[in-house]
């Protein structure tokens, strides 16, 4: 028997979510961020479903290569930028745009000389302190890029938010202020907003929004899962019960014997574990759905299996469906219970999980 564990990818949900984002940021173009294999949903599958997007954002040149090989002709932006001079001919061959965030990249562009103009997204560090030019260096970088024949004239000005998912925190407002000051008087399109900013910071939308998580129906906003913003989950992770066992009061369940039965009770064993990408650190009490009803994990998640408290549905039996996340159980809720975020969970599904497209 094939392992009954599958991730179903809902391409209609991807399209629906793109529509929700477009409605929220109606004055902006949408770059669909498809890094990390389309947030675990399959790069080519996601890009085909979202062919209505205005551009795709990737983190690796190899992803751009895959998109072109799949026949996709939309603009593609390399979000982490190129890192060696040999990447430049590749960018030109694949017609890929690149983020420029560091002086070393400026030097490589200058040394490479002429060639088909590459479109550059000049990244400014407005306070996240990951990638980007310091605000004081932006004018100089913009001037040097503008002077190059190998760089397209329409340089995009961009930045990234550190905490746009916290709608009442002042940091995003401060980053917007720093950005406006650093770019004042420079020509070019503006791009700042990730998913959370699409919903929480309409003043940041600019010319291009860059949603990732929201396309997949996943919210980064604590305590407000995707459906609260009108988004639909694009992934359902599901399996089946392999066994239901009656375990006696006082007995302990699983590795480390971490969970003790408070009474005689039915315990379900489901065919999923950390070998499938389900987090081992999900504690007892993490929700799952058995036959469409909420139930809780008990004991430790192991490589191939997990154990579930079935006291609420003693009739459950081997073969019954178990859903780990999807419609009715947001992956954000599971992430919160497991001490992580929905984003990490959808990116972590392993290759042995059968992927089904609907
Ligand atoms: C990943 C990424 C995004 C998308 O962020 P989400 O929170 O998934 O919407 C946008 N911009 C850049 C530069 C990124 O790296």
């Amino acid at each position: 028997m094939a392992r009954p564990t599958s991730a179903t990818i809902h391409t209609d949900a991807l399209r629906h979510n793109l529509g929700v984002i477009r409605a929220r940021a109606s004055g902006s173009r949408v770059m669909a961020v498809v890094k990390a294999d389309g947030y675990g949903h399959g790069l080519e599958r996601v890009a085909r479903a979202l062919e209505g997007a205005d551009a795709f954002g990737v983190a690796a040149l190899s992803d751009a290569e895959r998109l072109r090989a799949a026949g996709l002709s939309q603009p593609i932006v390399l979000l982490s930028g190129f890192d060696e001079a040999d990447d430049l001919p590749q960018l030109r061959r694949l017609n890929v745009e690149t983020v420029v965030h560091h002086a070393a990249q400026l030097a490589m562009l200058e040394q490479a000389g002429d060639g088909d103009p590459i479109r550059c997204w000049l990244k400014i560090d407005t306070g996240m302190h990951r990638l980007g030019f310091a605000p004081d260096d932006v004018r100089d970088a913009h001037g040097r890029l503008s002077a190059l024949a190998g760089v397209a004239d329409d340089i995009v000005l961009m930045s990234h938010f550190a905490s746009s998912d916290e709608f009442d925190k002042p940091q995003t407002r401060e980053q917007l202020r720093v950005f406006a000051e650093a770019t004042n008087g420079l020509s070019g399109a503006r791009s700042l907003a990730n998913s959370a900013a699409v919903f929480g910071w309409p003043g940041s939308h600019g010319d291009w929004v860059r949603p990732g998580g929201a396309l997949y129906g996943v919210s980064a906003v604590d305590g407000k899962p995707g459906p609260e913003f009108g988004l639909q989950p694009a992934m359902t992770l599901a399996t089946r019960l392999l066994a239901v066992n009656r375990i006696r009061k006082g007995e302990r369940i699983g590795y480390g014997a971490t969970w003790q039965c408070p009474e005689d009770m039915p315990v379900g064993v489901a065919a999923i574990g950390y070998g499938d990408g389900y987090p081992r650190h999900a504690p007892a009490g993490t929700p799952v759905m058995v036959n469409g009803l909420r139930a809780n994990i008990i004991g430790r998640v192991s490589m191939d299996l997990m154990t579930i408290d079935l006291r609420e549905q003693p009739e459950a039996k081997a073969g019954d469906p178990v859903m780990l996340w999807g419609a009715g159980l947001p992956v954000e809720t599971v992430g919160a219970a497991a001490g992580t975020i929905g984003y990490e969970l959808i990116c972590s599904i392993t290759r042995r999980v059968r992927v089904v497209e609907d």
Side-chain angles (χ1 to χ4, degrees), residues 8-22 32 41 45-46 48-51 199 212-218 226-227 229-236 326-327 356-358:
T8 303
I9 308 302
H10 310 287
T11 52
D12 51 351
L14 290 167
R15 280 184 290 270
H16 166 87
N17 295 335
L18 176 60
V20 170
I21 291 161
R22 281 213 184 280
H41 294 62
R45 176 183 301 115
V46 168
R48 284 200 187 96
L50 296 177
E51 61 182 1
F199 295 99
L215 290 168
Y216 310 94
V218 182
F229 298 100
L231 302 169
Q232 297 172 358
M235 181 191 289
T236 300
V356 185
E357 192 172 316
D358 86 344

Side-chain angles (χ1 to χ4, degrees), residues 211-287:
L215 290 168
Y216 310 94
V218 182
S219 156
V221 181
D222 195 31
K224 267 172 94 69
E228 297 202 20
F229 298 100
L231 302 169
Q232 297 172 358
M235 181 191 289
T236 300
L237 183 65
T239 187
R240 292 188 182 278
L241 290 177
L242 294 181
V244 176
N245 300 311
R246 315 276 145 189
I247 309 295
R248 291 251 175 236
K249 175 178 179 177
E251 291 297 311
R252 289 173 176 274
I253 308 291
Y255 283 123
T258 55
W259 201 84
Q260 187 170 29
C261 297
E263 58 189 310
D264 291 1
M265 60 182 279
V267 173
V269 184
I272 188 157
Y274 63 81
D276 303 290
Y278 193 92
R280 180 178 176 279
H281 48 269
T286 301

Side-chain angles (χ1 to χ4, degrees), residues 118-308:
I118 298 172
R119 189 159 187 238
C120 292
W121 295 57
L122 179 60
K123 187 161 188 175
I124 302 156
D125 176 13
T126 54
M128 181 160 181
H129 303 316
R130 205 174 52 174
L131 294 181
F133 287 92
D136 285 346
D137 298 334
V138 169
R139 264 155 231 284
D140 175 60
H142 192 269
R144 284 170 67 186
L145 278 180
S146 305
L148 295 176
V151 168
D153 292 337
D154 52 344
I155 297 163
V156 182
L157 300 163
M158 71 175 290
S159 190
H160 195 56
F161 292 129
S163 51
S164 57
D165 53 313
E166 296 173 270
F167 297 162
D168 48 8
K169 234 186 165 179
Q171 186 179 16
T172 301
R173 199 164 289 115
E174 175 60 12
Q175 287 194 262
L176 281 165
R177 190 192 65 70
V178 171
F179 184 82
E181 199 175 289
T183 59
N184 184 28
L186 295 179
S187 63
R190 266 71 173 160
S191 176
L192 296 113
N194 57 0
S195 296
V198 165
F199 295 99
W201 299 92
S204 75
H205 289 172
D207 301 289
W208 284 91
V209 294
R210 307 189 308 268
L215 290 168
Y216 310 94
V218 182
S219 156
V221 181
D222 195 31
K224 267 172 94 69
E228 297 202 20
F229 298 100
L231 302 169
Q232 297 172 358
M235 181 191 289
T236 300
L237 183 65
T239 187
R240 292 188 182 278
L241 290 177
L242 294 181
V244 176
N245 300 311
R246 315 276 145 189
I247 309 295
R248 291 251 175 236
K249 175 178 179 177
E251 291 297 311
R252 289 173 176 274
I253 308 291
Y255 283 123
T258 55
W259 201 84
Q260 187 170 29
C261 297
E263 58 189 310
D264 291 1
M265 60 182 279
V267 173
V269 184
I272 188 157
Y274 63 81
D276 303 290
Y278 193 92
R280 180 178 176 279
H281 48 269
T286 301
V288 299
M289 303 270 256
V290 178
N291 293 311
L293 301 169
R294 286 264 181 142
N296 290 332
I297 294 180
I298 52 178
R300 243 183 223 159
V301 173
S302 54
M303 187 181 289
D304 307 321
L305 302 167
M306 68 166 57
T307 38
I308 300 169

